[in-house]
């Protein structure tokens, strides 16, 4: 698998990930197509300016334009304190293959080499077993549960943190 920067042509993949009730179950339900298209436009601009990393997960042997999901790393702020956050989504037909875990590890490897991201936080839904398992497997430290706002919705999440370079499995595969 490889990771590549998001591009405007990824609109249908974004829609599949963010407008689907099953994919968005842990994130308060599906978003509207308009919200998702606006998010894609913003992500493309932010990536071009190198303010965030929005990487599309391309499975081995994929046809042109085929993606399995996405992983993102972006700056965040809470109560005046800056930090970095990571999140990921993998389409149902690609789940269970280790793609998300590999993608998150690769982004953390790159963040360690880059040096600007500091501690990276992840906030999967408190009941999202697979995503919490990725955090555990990659050496994130669980800080506890908390409520977070996402797209105007309050979500119950597990709050994890890891320092890139100190995550499990860092380095070459």
């Amino acid at each position: 698998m490889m990771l590549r920067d998001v591009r405007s042509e990824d609109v249908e993949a974004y829609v599949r990930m963010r407008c689907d009730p099953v994919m968005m179950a842990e994130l308060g339900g599906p978003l509207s197509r308009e919200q998702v298209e606006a998010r894609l436009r913003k992500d493309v601009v932010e990536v071009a300016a190198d303010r965030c990393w929005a990487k599309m997960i391309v499975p081995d042997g994929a046809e042109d334009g085929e993606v399995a999901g996405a992983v993102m790393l972006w700056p965040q702020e809470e109560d005046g304190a800056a930090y970095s956050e990571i999140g990921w989504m993998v389409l149902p037909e690609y789940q269970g293959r280790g793609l998300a875990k590999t993608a998150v590890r690769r982004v953390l490897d790159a963040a360690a080499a880059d040096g600007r991201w500091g501690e990276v936080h992840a906030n999967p839904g408190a009941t999202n077993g697979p995503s919490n398992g990725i955090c555990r497997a990659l050496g994130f430290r669980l800080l506890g549960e908390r409520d977070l706002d996402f797209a105007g919705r309050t979500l119950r999440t597990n709050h994890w943190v890891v320092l890139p370079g100190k995550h499990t499995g860092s380095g070459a595969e």
Side-chain angles (χ1 to χ4, degrees):
M1 100 159 207
M2 69 170 230
L3 298 176
R4 66 157 171 80
D5 286 343
V6 68
R7 50 190 188 217
S8 56
E9 297 84 27
D10 291 318
V11 66
E12 291 308 316
Y14 259 50
V15 166
R16 279 199 65 211
M17 287 184 279
R18 293 173 171 89
C19 294
D20 181 277
V22 174
M23 289 287 299
M24 294 295 291
E26 292 285 342
L27 296 171
L31 301 175
S32 71
R33 185 176 183 102
E34 295 76 25
Q35 288 173 296
V36 172
E37 289 176 351
R39 175 60 191 253
L40 174 63
R41 288 190 298 274
K42 178 183 178 211
D43 289 350
V44 168
V45 168
E46 293 294 302
V47 167
D50 198 28
R51 288 188 290 262
C52 84
W53 294 349
K55 302 290 187 183
M56 302 306 288
I57 302 168
V58 181
D60 290 336
E63 298 192 20
D64 188 38
E66 180 184 357
V67 297
V71 59
M72 294 188 63
L73 179 64
W74 67 96
Q76 191 66 283
E77 187 175 309
E78 186 176 328
D79 300 327
Y83 63 96
S84 300
E85 186 168 348
I86 194 167
W88 55 89
M89 298 182 95
V90 172
L91 291 164
E93 64 268 28
Y94 296 101
Q95 292 175 6
R97 300 183 190 181
L99 294 173
K101 182 176 161 186
T102 298
V104 171
R105 184 177 56 245
R106 287 184 184 175
V107 168
L108 291 172
D109 289 345
D114 184 85
R116 69 177 145 146
W117 295 99
E119 286 189 328
V120 172
H121 297 249
N123 294 286
T127 60
N128 185 334
S131 286
N132 283 290
I134 288 169
C135 290
R136 235 181 331 278
L138 293 179
F140 282 76
R141 182 171 34 97
L142 181 61
L143 300 179
E145 288 189 14
R146 68 180 181 166
D147 291 328
L148 280 183
D149 178 67
F150 172 77
R153 309 152 180 196
T154 301
L155 306 176
R156 189 70 180 166
T157 69
N158 279 336
H159 183 193
W160 298 87
V161 65
V162 71
L163 183 63
K166 302 294 183 188
H167 59 285
T168 305
S170 60
E173 288 184 62

